Every structure is written in C-alpha cells, then in structure tokens.
Amino acid sequence: MTALREKPKAISILMFVAWVSFFILAFHSHAFAADRPNILWISCEDISPHLGCYGHPQATTPNLDTLATQGLRYENAFTVTGVCATCRASIITSMFPSSLGNQFMRGSVDLPDHVRLFPSYLREAGYYCTNNSKTDYNITGNHSRCWDESSNKAHYRNRKSDDQPFFAVFNIKNTHESRIFNYRRPENLKNDEFHDPALMELPPYYPDTDITRRDWAHYFDNITSMDKIAGDILQELEEAGLADDTIVVFWSDHGVGLPRAKRWIYESGTHVPLIVRIPQKFQPPGQAEPGTISDELVSLMDLGPTMLNLAGIELPDAIHGRAFLGNSRSEPRQLIYTIRDRMDERYDMMRAVRNHRYKYIRNYQPFKPYFQITNTMEREHTMKELRRLHALNMLQPAAAQFMVDSKPLEEFYDLKNDPHEINNLIDQANQDDELRQNLDSLRRAHIDWVFETRDTGLIPEAELARRGKLLGTRFAILNDDPDHGRELLERLLATNRMACSPKTVTPLVEAYQDPDPAVRFWAITGLGNLRTPSPEALAAVRQGLADPVATVRVAAARAAWQLGKPQLSLEALRLAARSDEEFLSLSAMHVIDEMKDQRDDFMEVIRWVDQNGKGYPVRIAKYLLSQNTP
C-alpha cells in the first residue's frame, strides 16, 4: 500500500520537473533569439560597385541605395578571384583556394579535416541555415551538407520555431554574364527604366561601338532588375517583422561579366559592392552606424568569420579570413591578395597584392596571351568586337595592349591615378623612389604570402590531383611536412622565374634533375621558352619525353616543338590527349593548340577527344575542329 501511495507523488515530481524544464528551455530559446541576431545575405553575380550609392551616374538602384543609408558601405571590398566557383570556395571555407588546391575553375577537391564550411558553426550554435540556392563551392561531396535547407525553396520562414535565429542566403542570378550575351529584357522593368546605349560611359579598355555600348546598357538593365528583386527580399523581411532583428549583407561574387573583368584579377574583376546593415540593438560600439562609409580593405573571404563574430561564436584557428565587424574584430587588413589560375579550359597563373593605392601583379605564365580562347568568353559580343577590331588593327591602345601574344613578368599600377590599370609602371618605378619603395614592399608581401599560405599554384593541376589522391588532400602536399613544403616552394619559385625569363641552358638542365616532378615541369618548360636547340637542351628534352610523370612528358613535348623538333612530341601528346585524366588531357590539348603548323598531325586525336573525351578538353577539341573547317 505504501508503494501505491508513493507512485502519484513520484509522478507529480516528474511532471513538475518536466514543466520546469519546459519553461527553462522556452526561456533559453527566447533569450537565445533575443541575444543573437538573424543574418540575411543577398548575393548577386558578376557586378562591380556600379550602384547609385557608390556614385555611379548610370546606375538605377534605389533599394540598395536605401540599404546603404541604413548601414555601412565598404569602398574597398574585393573577391579572392574573378570567377564564381573559386570565389565561393573562398567564402564558404574562409580559406585561399590556392592553399586547398581548388583554385582552378570547377576543380573540386576534398577538404582537410580541419577545414569546415562556416555555416556549420552557425548550425551548431542553434541557427537555422538556408541557402537559396547556388552552391558551386569547388569541393567534393554534398555541397548542401552545411545547410538545414539548400534549394530554390529554402527560406527562413521554413524553420519550425519563430524563436530560432536564422542565417539565410538568397542569390540573385539575373546579373550573370550569360544575361548579357543572351540578353532578355527584364520583365520587372518599366519602359523608362531601361538604359540608353548612347548614354553609356565605357571603360577605356573597350572599343566604343554600338555593340559594346549595347552590352554595357544591358549590364545596367540587369543591375536595375536585380535591385528590384533585392528590394522585394528586404520588403518581405520588413513585413515579417524581422528587420529589427536581422543583420543584412549585400555582396557580389566578383566583378563585371565582360572581358578583362570576370575571370581577371584587375579591379574590374575583383572589386565588388559590400553593404552591411546591423540593427541598432546588435551594433557593436562604433561600428556599422547608419549611413557610414568605410575605406577599410576587406576580402569577401572574411564574410564567414565576420558573421560568426557578430553571432558571438568563437572563430576557428586555421582559417585565412578575418572578422571585420563584431565585438572581437580582427586587425584591419593592410593588403588584399587575389589569384587567377585555370579559367574554364585555359591555363594561366597570376597573383596580385594591393594596398590602398598601389597594386602588384606577378604573371607566372607570361608566355601566354591575356585573351586565350575560352568557350564562354567568346560568346560575349564585346569579346567578338575586340577580336574583330584587333584583326583590322583598329583598336585604341588601351584595348590593344591586352590582345598581345604574351604578358609582362610583372605589372605595377597606381590605382589612384590609374583606376583602370592601363599604365604599367614596372619600368618607371626604377626612376621614382616612392614607386620603387611600394613596388619592393608589395613584391616582398607577395612572396611572404606564397610561403605563409602554401600556394599550390606552381604544381600543375594534373600533378596536383595525382598527389592529392595519394595523400588524401591537395592541402597536405605542402603542409604535411612544413619544412619540405617550404623547400619545394623555394625551388618552384626559382625554377619558374628561370622558365619565364630564360637566359642560359645550363641552370635549366640542372633544375631538370630535381627529384620533384613539378620542378622538372618548369625546368623543361623553360628550355622550350629559351628556344635554343643546343645539344645540352635537346638531350634534356629527350630525357623529359621519357620522364616517369606524364605532366612532365607533355611539357617536354612542347619544348621539343619549340626547339624545332616537333616530330619528337607527337607520341607523348597523342597519348596524353587520350588520357582519362581530364587535366592531363587538357594540358596536352593546350600544346596541340599551340602547335598550329602541326595541326594535321593531330587531327585524328583531336576528333577522338571531341567524340570520347570528357570535360574541358572537349572544348578545345571543338575549337580546333572549328578552325580546321574551310
């Protein structure tokens, strides 16, 4: 009987504990929501800071202009690269893609264990994270794994409780470059909101024609259309009663979707708009007050750490990004670093570093032209105009200088007096103390950055993929053994410099004896660039054609052709072009494209790649076949 009488008492105690727990959890949930802001991102594609709030006279962007008056506008925000996938990789990981090995367009990689996609930290802290809907992170696996919801229906209103804080991303696609060369009149614009091509002011590196003016007008039409969509997103937030609880961030994934902008690391390709509105109750002291403008240097790679900081979440240690807002704000950047590697089907390698006024660019493949043929870019009307007028020798100097067959080893610009980066001051710096001091400082900063971030760019992509597979990640190649990684970088930098500006045969022949295939690749590339068919050089090239690593054999085939022995190159290139390794095949197709006088010797393999290849090599095969058509 005693036990029976005690049971209701026990149940009452359990019910009391349950009710107390419920109220504690409910209170905690409300407190959590009250203490931590919601975060809403509005991202768009392929625009520079061509908004009214940035003072651009041709822009019609009333909604984003209003947002800027309510928050903080950054004058000096930059992407890490000039193209979407690699830029988004840097944002989602807060890391330089060149450290992870995914600096190549659509070159997805496995991440090392310590690198996480930053929304996962917000989810762990209780945030409901949604992405609507672009991923394109240049990483393997499920791109949606860091989101509660990632689709074109993803929305913060889908969370189960209104008390749960959210991080929501809305990506507006209608400013993408394809909306210029496949232009359709935006349906949300009135007739008087379209831009008159005759009134457009073109950058000096474009020819002034009806076609280029029309492209520029369509670009601004799309921006106005995007602004209306952004306004709808902001209005929806307001109507939901969430504007006073939500940090809003607007940004673009890189610069203008036109030639010498998108895919490039000039200002036109990496300088982007960035606006941050923080409700008063979440504003850190002295930060992001309405209507303020900042000239602080910011990289979009910093977005993730900044959101974590604003949400009160501790930043992970092993990231390159910094928090530019929040109670634990990082030291402001003094320099911005940008990178360019393979863009679509064409290899290149450029690195840049800038301070508030000057910019230094190092071209690691100066023997390649600025405007290599790429499938997507060649569809652009402005690109067609550049090629047409170049063929007629009718381009103005500012445009013509980017149509040449090679690039300088270094570029150096005064951005204050030359914002379009037309006048390379690399030679003038030798006669001017201020220029020389800034040039030397930026050169040193660039080399320091290469070592600090363990830049993998000088390892050919096919070789990078091979080693990454052996070690588990590409990041491990230069980081598993730091001393070995540094020594390898030193040899790569030295050999690349010889390859870019070769003077004598012997140092390159000696470098070819290096145990690392990437160093041998650059040594044999340099022997070809030297174009001195000495017995010593030819012996090294023949040795290279039998190298155990296929990437080196392809470089040796190119060198054999450059040294006047094209018949030596045929077998190596035919085998590599047929490889099922996409980027080995691509490197071979590059060389076949260069060897224009030998095109007939490769027609069979070109057709084979066109019919049986995969990925980017097929694009080059189709281009070569189109050139062979009468």
Side-chain angles (χ1 to χ4, degrees):
M1 293 293 294
T2 303
L4 290 175
R5 283 196 298 269
E6 291 293 319
K7 190 172 183 180
K9 182 178 179 181
I11 292 173
S12 298
I13 293 172
L14 287 172
M15 290 181 64
F16 174 76
V17 170
W19 276 106
V20 170
S21 299
F22 172 80
F23 283 114
I24 290 174
L25 287 171
F27 175 80
H28 176 74
S29 176
H30 281 285
F32 184 90
D35 291 344
R36 298 201 179 184
N38 303 316
I39 302 169
L40 185 144
W41 280 8
I42 303 174
S43 67
C44 70
E45 304 186 32
D46 301 22
I47 76 164
S48 295
H50 292 145
L51 308 176
C53 57
Y54 280 89
H56 203 286
Q58 296 162 303
T60 310
T61 52
N63 294 297
L64 292 172
D65 297 348
T66 299
L67 182 68
T69 66
Q70 299 166 345
L72 169 60
R73 176 170 61 82
Y74 284 90
E75 291 275 283
N76 290 309
F78 298 88
T79 55
V80 170
T81 75
V83 76
C84 52
T86 48
C87 173
R88 290 175 185 273
S90 72
I91 292 173
I92 202 71
T93 63
S94 309
M95 297 280 287
F96 285 107
S98 47
S99 297
L100 298 173
N102 63 344
Q103 64 267 36
F104 308 101
M105 180 62 174
R106 303 276 151 70
S108 298
V109 303
D110 295 324
L111 294 178
D113 291 339
H114 73 276
V115 176
R116 295 172 55 186
L117 311 187
F118 86 86
S120 65
Y121 294 102
L122 288 165
R123 289 185 71 191
E124 283 184 357
Y127 275 76
Y128 182 74
C129 297
T130 65
N131 177 52
N132 189 334
S133 63
K134 189 167 185 173
T135 52
D136 205 12
Y137 301 144
N138 240 27
I139 57 175
T140 56
N142 179 7
H143 291 190
S144 302
R145 62 184 180 267
C146 63
W147 304 102
D148 288 288
E149 189 180 5
S150 181
S151 72
N152 59 8
K153 295 182 180 179
H155 203 290
Y156 55 81
R157 63 174 173 242
N158 297 339
R159 66 199 193 283
K160 293 181 180 179
S161 170
D162 289 344
D163 292 324
Q164 184 179 13
F166 62 79
F167 169 50
V169 180
F170 293 92
N171 186 70
I172 304 173
K173 300 178 181 179
N174 71 332
T175 49
H176 188 265
E177 69 177 324
S178 59
R179 302 297 181 94
I180 299 177
F181 64 74
N182 284 328
Y183 178 75
R184 295 180 181 177
R185 287 170 62 92
E187 295 180 357
N188 62 348
L189 296 191
K190 301 174 183 176
N191 287 336
D192 62 354
E193 291 177 316
F194 288 90
H195 294 77
D196 184 352
L199 301 179
M200 294 293 100
E201 296 179 10
L202 297 173
Y205 42 79
Y206 293 152
D208 190 346
T209 70
D210 290 344
I211 289 174
T212 55
R213 284 180 169 275
R214 191 160 58 242
D215 268 2
W216 205 240
H218 291 168
Y219 166 66
F220 278 97
D221 290 347
N222 292 337
I223 289 177
T224 300
S225 173
M226 176 274 296
D227 178 78
K228 287 177 176 282
I229 298 171
D232 291 342
I233 295 170
L234 293 168
Q235 181 64 30
E236 183 179 40
L237 187 74
E238 187 76 36
E239 291 174 354
L242 294 168
D244 291 338
D245 299 305
T246 305
I247 294 171
V248 176
V249 184
F250 171 80
W251 53 272
S252 171
D253 64 352
H254 53 75
V256 183
L258 287 169
R260 201 195 167 273
K262 182 172 183 174
R263 301 178 182 86
W264 293 94
I265 53 176
Y266 297 108
E267 302 291 285
S268 52
T270 59
H271 188 201
V272 293
L274 175 62
I275 302 170
V276 182
R277 184 181 74 187
I278 303 180
Q280 185 175 6
K281 63 182 174 182
F282 294 120
Q283 280 179 18
Q287 298 180 36
E289 295 175 356
T292 54
I293 300 170
S294 173
D295 68 351
E296 180 180 340
L297 295 173
V298 171
S299 171
L300 289 203
M301 182 175 60
D302 301 333
L303 283 173
T306 302
M307 299 306 107
L308 297 181
N309 198 32
L310 288 169
I313 300 169
E314 185 176 354
L315 271 58
D317 292 329
I319 58 173
H320 298 134
R322 304 181 184 185
F324 56 84
L325 288 170
N327 290 323
S328 301
R329 182 165 54 169
S330 306
E331 285 295 315
R333 289 184 179 275
Q334 301 304 312
L335 299 169
I336 289 288
Y337 299 91
T338 50
I339 66 173
R340 168 181 159 91
D341 293 88
R342 177 176 55 73
M343 292 294 165
D344 300 320
E345 67 266 36
R346 296 293 178 173
Y347 282 107
D348 199 359
M349 182 180 173
M350 300 171 70
R351 297 291 183 264
V353 55
R354 77 179 315 272
N355 55 30
H356 274 89
R357 177 166 179 177
Y358 295 100
K359 184 172 185 177
Y360 169 74
I361 297 175
R362 170 68 155 86
N363 287 305
Y364 282 90
Q365 296 188 27
F367 42 85
K368 292 186 176 179
Y370 285 104
F371 283 136
Q372 298 182 72
I373 301 290
T374 58
N375 175 273
T376 303
M377 191 172 67
E378 297 305 316
R379 299 170 68 186
E380 296 172 357
H381 310 301
T382 295
M383 190 70 246
K384 292 176 182 178
E385 279 293 88
L386 284 163
R387 296 218 185 273
R388 181 182 71 83
L389 294 172
H390 176 63
L392 296 172
N393 198 28
M394 292 175 61
L395 283 176
Q396 76 274 26
Q401 67 180 344
F402 293 98
M403 303 298 292
V404 294
D405 292 334
S406 62
K407 303 185 285 288
L409 183 70
E410 298 176 300
E411 301 175 47
F412 181 56
Y413 298 102
D414 179 350
L415 300 172
K416 178 180 178 181
N417 295 314
D418 181 23
H420 293 291
E421 296 160 287
I422 301 298
N423 302 307
N424 185 2
L425 302 177
I426 201 72
D427 294 328
Q428 187 177 331
N430 292 325
Q431 285 80 45
D432 185 294
D433 287 343
E434 180 184 349
L435 291 179
R436 184 173 62 253
Q437 289 172 7
N438 277 278
L439 173 59
D440 289 345
S441 174
L442 292 176
R443 276 175 173 157
R444 288 193 300 271
H446 163 62
I447 294 300
D448 289 345
W449 173 88
V450 168
F451 286 106
E452 288 170 8
T453 66
R454 291 295 197 263
D455 184 356
T456 61
L458 286 173
I459 303 175
E461 186 175 17
E463 177 64 10
L464 200 62
R466 185 182 71 85
R467 295 191 209 185
K469 189 175 294 185
L470 290 173
L471 295 175
T473 68
R474 298 181 184 185
F475 179 84
I477 296 169
L478 295 176
N479 287 277
D480 272 6
D481 184 339
D483 290 338
H484 170 75
R486 183 175 185 85
E487 291 169 2
L488 177 55
L489 277 173
E490 288 172 348
R491 303 201 309 277
L492 285 169
L493 286 165
T495 310
N496 170 268
R497 194 167 190 94
M498 286 193 293
C500 293
S501 304
K503 294 179 174 60
T504 58
V505 169
T506 301
L508 290 165
V509 171
E510 291 174 351
Y512 177 71
Q513 306 309 314
D514 194 279
D516 192 281
V519 178
R520 298 201 301 274
F521 169 89
W522 286 111
I524 213 78
T525 297
L527 285 171
N529 291 343
L530 190 59
R531 296 181 184 269
T532 302
S534 67
E536 188 181 14
L538 287 170
V541 167
R542 285 189 172 91
Q543 188 180 356
L545 288 166
D547 195 279
V549 176
T551 305
V552 181
R553 296 197 295 271
V554 170
R558 176 180 179 271
W561 163 66
Q562 289 177 303
L563 297 180
K565 302 291 183 181
Q567 294 305 312
L568 295 177
S569 67
L570 301 183
E571 182 180 1
L573 291 174
R574 287 167 179 161
L575 285 173
R578 290 173 180 264
S579 172
D580 59 0
E581 296 179 26
E582 179 181 359
F583 302 113
L584 176 61
S585 174
L586 182 61
S587 65
M589 294 301 291
H590 266 246
V591 179
I592 290 171
D593 184 19
E594 279 191 85
M595 297 173 63
K596 292 178 173 56
D597 293 341
Q598 308 298 133
R599 190 73 49 81
D600 289 345
D601 293 323
F602 293 107
M603 287 312 300
E604 181 181 351
V605 74
I606 292 170
R607 292 190 183 97
W608 187 94
V609 172
D610 177 49
Q611 295 171 12
N612 303 287
K614 60 181 181 181
Y616 287 121
V618 178
R619 290 191 180 187
I620 295 185
K622 290 187 180 300
Y623 163 70
L624 294 177
L625 290 173
S626 73
Q627 297 301 296
N628 202 54
T629 302

